[in-house]
Amino acid sequence: MEFMGAKDALCKVANLNIGLPDTLAYYDEASFSAGFKKTMAFQPRVIKQNRGSSGEGIWIIKLKAGNYCKAYGERSCSDDEVLDMMEANDNHAETHTVAEFIEFCVNGRTGKSGTWTSKGVGKYLEGGKAAGGQLVDQRFCPRIVEGELRYNMVVDSLVGIIHKKPAAGGISAVGGTGSIYTYYGSEEPKFKTLTENFLKRDLVHVMPSLGLASEPVPLWWTTDFILASPEGTPSDQEKWIVGEFNCSCVGISKCLAAYCKDDTPNASYSDISPEDLKEAQVYGDLMGTKAYGLLESARASPVDTSCITKVAGDDLGLMAQPKNPKYKVALAQIYVRSQPYGGSDKSSNGHRYDSIPFANGMITSGMSCQLIHYTQQEHDKFFEVCKQFDAIIVRCNPGQIKADGGDQARFDNGMRDMRKLGIQVWPSPDVMEFMGAKDALCKVANLCIGLPDTLAYYDENSFAAGFKKTMAFQPRVIKQNRGSSGEGIWIIKLKAGNYCNSYGDRSCADDEVLDMMEANDNHSETHTVAEFVEFCVNGRTGKSGNWTSKGVGKYLEGGKAAGGQLVDQRFCPRIVEGELRYNMVVDCLVGIIHKKPKEGGISAVGGTGSIYTYYGPEEPKFKALTDNFLKRDLEYVMPSLGLADEPVPLWWTTDFILASPVGTPADQEKWIVGEFNCSCVGISKCLAAYCKDDTPNAKFTDIAPEDLKEAEVYGTLMGQKALSIITQARTYVDVSSITRVAKDDLGLPPQPKKPVYKCALAQIYVRSQPYGGSDKSSNGHRYDSIPFASGMIKAGMSCQLIHYLHQEHDKFFEVCKKFDAIIVRCNPGQIKADGGDQGKFDDGMREMRKLGIQVWPSPDVMEFMG
């Protein structure tokens, strides 16, 4: 809006077919005074201010004496030469000296400017270039008295031509001056030369000439042309020049019956005649088609990630990105610069060993997937890049961000901000935290896969009291929250075996002895109850005895907010028979692993001599568990964990323990959750691609073909599920945080259930003016908003009509961030008239453009074109 709306746009297109080379722009008094005196001495001129509308401040000027020089620059006008002037807003005439005109243009009405009848106030250069202070000096084309041509455009398509002929004796054809309008179709033969020059030769150069190469041509705009050729020029040789571009809330004239004025205070959409509405909707439908194309074009380009460091040496194995991706996905990784190979999960090129199957799965489903790395020094730049994706797959192994000098909480908060913008994050920090926390087992205690007597402790008092009571009743499993690979998970029995008959009959004494085994390595220890409680709370102290554990205890340190917690679960003795790990892609089971501990052990953690047996997802012997988990419990897992608004993770596992007594029939067995894991779960079939001391150059091509084939099956399924999640999430934007101004949406068709893109149509209602401003229907919408919105909807996009209130500026732009495109239909001056700040609004829209959101027209387009 800004770049197209500035009058110096005419200088920037001066060398196109539709321009005049002798078009000048002035931004200060000295250049204006010198330049105008020189051009005025040579030819009649048109002087145009930048800020006015409807012809105000556009002056057609001749020397009263007619004493023009023969060649440009031969002389300059003196201050006392007299000018005959006509203003385009109402065709009124004035006579002033050169000095008076310059004074009026610079300082307005003063003692030196003479007496003016203009409705304007002058001061056209006020504030300088940055504030829009400018004057354009263009050759006067005398044939303007024959009229101008207005080309009505939908992006790059001409939809109609209007010939605007001034009233007899007038020069301007502005509405309300008695001008005569004649309407032509887009293929009118008499204007064929202009149409071809404009559409086929010049249009592609207009935006770059205006400094707007990265912006699309406006959605709905006009160009006014003036005939510059002498009389008698054959029509196929005529030169028509741009008089003005306009993209600032151009109206659809066929909808004028819907706007309120004193004699039609209740005007509404239904007052538009059927034939006018039909034509208006043709424009709207074409706008929808073009808008869809613009969004598709914008999506075709990969996200520019050049502002962040490219860490990986190459993208070996990555498929070519789709030319027109359905969505844009990022796969975020971390390279630990202080560790060998960048961390224990890296291939030699710096990518995580299983990243390529993930990314290829997205690509196979028609989405792009760009592999990026997080470095804490580039935190802000990284998340600015992330804002331009539709989804982010987080593949940063726990602890690696901290190991690289970063702050995990800061990273997590950045990802939470992405979720607030409507960007999918798999898994989100909250999903990782809530599913990975050991007290997740308490939250699913009442599902088929839970045990009702599962307790959680967050402080010393509740732990000491609760543990002494449960321990007196049954063998227990005590699990810390922060450990991994079984560290801090203790299987505990009373050495004396003196369990009470009913829960609560007694509590253990401090000196009762416990037989304990830690799951990370199956080592055994013996401690008193008091020593165990002390170790769990305070770690190794004089009261905790001697421990051989690799851990340090202090499991409650920092309290609940810092992840300090212990879970107390009934010990299931059949764990010696093994656990079942269910490998999941969203809601699909893709494989089952039976993990049997080494003889005499309890834990089946890798590296303890455990035996792994692999089964398909339909293994009959586990049918009861599979049915209970997938068909009965799975839909309740996320809500039970306080994650009702989050999808099930993209790639995750659940470990199950058999809780039923020996001899229970297979179809009646109860399996309970031992642990959920969604924090960077690896694809084991890709392990050959990760570097270690004996394979320091491991890479993607080291994965065996049969293993790669299976990994790609998982990746492909992930891609299909990811596509479905993003598509399902593309429902209406929640706009309830901003005020609903319009009374109704009369005429608006239903929104599509699964919109391809989400558009907003932004309006302004001037609360201090009758009807909300001179362009409103009685329901508060702009009179032509419905055809615009209907066109978007017909093209398969949603289009929600919203209003800007300056008191809700921040909320409004938070809402806007969730759209793919914003159509701005705020008439010039109305934001200010409602008490707002146009500059602040424009800056908000510029921020949307930085996020990759289309804005039609953007503030820069309005300024530079107009």
Side-chain angles (χ1 to χ4, degrees), residues 430-440 480-483 565 641 675-679:
D430 291 338
V431 168
M432 281 199 285
E433 179 182 341
F434 286 35
M435 289 194 83
K438 295 299 186 288
D439 64 355
Q480 73 140 318
N481 185 44
R482 300 188 183 98
Q565 62 178 252
L641 297 174
E675 184 176 55
F676 296 115
N677 188 6
C678 64
S679 181

Side-chain angles (χ1 to χ4, degrees), residues 391-467:
I392 304 161
I393 303 170
V394 180
R395 300 294 288 165
C396 302
N397 228 356
Q400 289 191 335
I401 288 174
K402 183 178 180 181
D404 193 51
D407 181 335
Q408 183 71 50
R410 188 180 183 211
F411 177 86
D412 289 348
N413 287 335
M415 286 298 170
R416 288 186 179 99
D417 287 339
M418 299 304 101
R419 290 295 293 123
K420 290 175 185 175
L421 293 176
I423 297 167
Q424 294 293 317
V425 177
W426 300 316
S428 74
D430 291 338
V431 168
M432 281 199 285
E433 179 182 341
F434 286 35
M435 289 194 83
K438 295 299 186 288
D439 64 355
L441 305 181
C442 307
K443 296 173 182 176
V444 298
N446 293 314
L447 300 183
C448 295
I449 54 173
L451 277 177
D453 60 334
T454 304
L455 307 176
Y457 310 119
Y458 305 100
D459 59 73
E460 179 178 359
N461 291 337
S462 63
F463 169 52
F467 171 66

Side-chain angles (χ1 to χ4, degrees), residues 149 166 236 305 317 340 343 381 395 404 427 474 534 562 652 711 714 761 773 775 800:
L149 292 180
D236 62 348
T305 62
K381 289 180 182 178
R395 300 294 288 165
D404 193 51
Q474 284 177 329
E534 177 69 11
W652 60 298
Y714 296 163
L761 192 147
D775 59 351
Q800 293 171 253

Side-chain angles (χ1 to χ4, degrees), residues 729-757:
R730 296 191 70 78
T731 54
Y732 313 126
V733 171
D734 181 2
V735 299
S736 62
S737 62
I738 58 175
T739 300
R740 163 89 174 159
V741 172
K743 299 173 187 175
D744 58 61
D745 295 328
L746 181 64
L748 188 69
Q751 304 285 353
K753 290 181 179 178
K754 293 182 180 179
V756 183
Y757 297 106

Side-chain angles (χ1 to χ4, degrees), residues 25-100:
Y26 311 120
Y27 305 101
D28 58 72
E29 180 178 1
S31 62
F32 169 50
S33 179
F36 172 66
K37 287 178 179 179
K38 190 181 288 187
T39 59
M40 194 68 250
F42 176 55
Q43 286 176 328
R45 308 301 292 176
V46 181
I47 302 295
K48 303 180 179 184
Q49 73 139 318
N50 184 45
R51 300 189 185 99
S53 60
S54 300
E56 189 265 308
I58 298 179
W59 296 96
I60 299 95
I61 311 176
K62 299 178 181 179
L63 288 176
K64 192 172 186 69
N67 55 329
Y68 300 104
C69 57
K70 293 181 179 179
Y72 176 69
E74 279 185 357
R75 79 175 188 92
S76 292
C77 287
S78 62
D79 284 343
D80 59 358
E81 288 189 60
V82 180
L83 307 174
D84 278 338
M85 305 166 57
M86 180 179 286
E87 192 173 14
N89 60 333
D90 55 10
N91 285 329
H92 84 278
E94 302 207 20
T95 302
H96 291 280
T97 65
V98 169
E100 287 173 342

Side-chain angles (χ1 to χ4, degrees), residues 769-785:
Q769 293 182 358
Y771 319 117
S774 60
D775 59 351
K776 298 298 183 297
S777 288
S778 55
N779 62 359
H781 287 309
R782 196 183 135 93
Y783 70 92
D784 55 3
S785 288

Side-chain angles (χ1 to χ4, degrees), residues 129-152:
K129 184 176 182 180
Q134 63 178 253
L135 284 164
V136 166
D137 180 350
Q138 192 175 37
R139 183 196 314 171
F140 173 66
C141 300
R143 294 185 70 182
I144 194 171
V145 296
E146 299 173 24
E148 301 174 77
L149 292 180
R150 169 159 288 183
Y151 273 40
N152 290 326

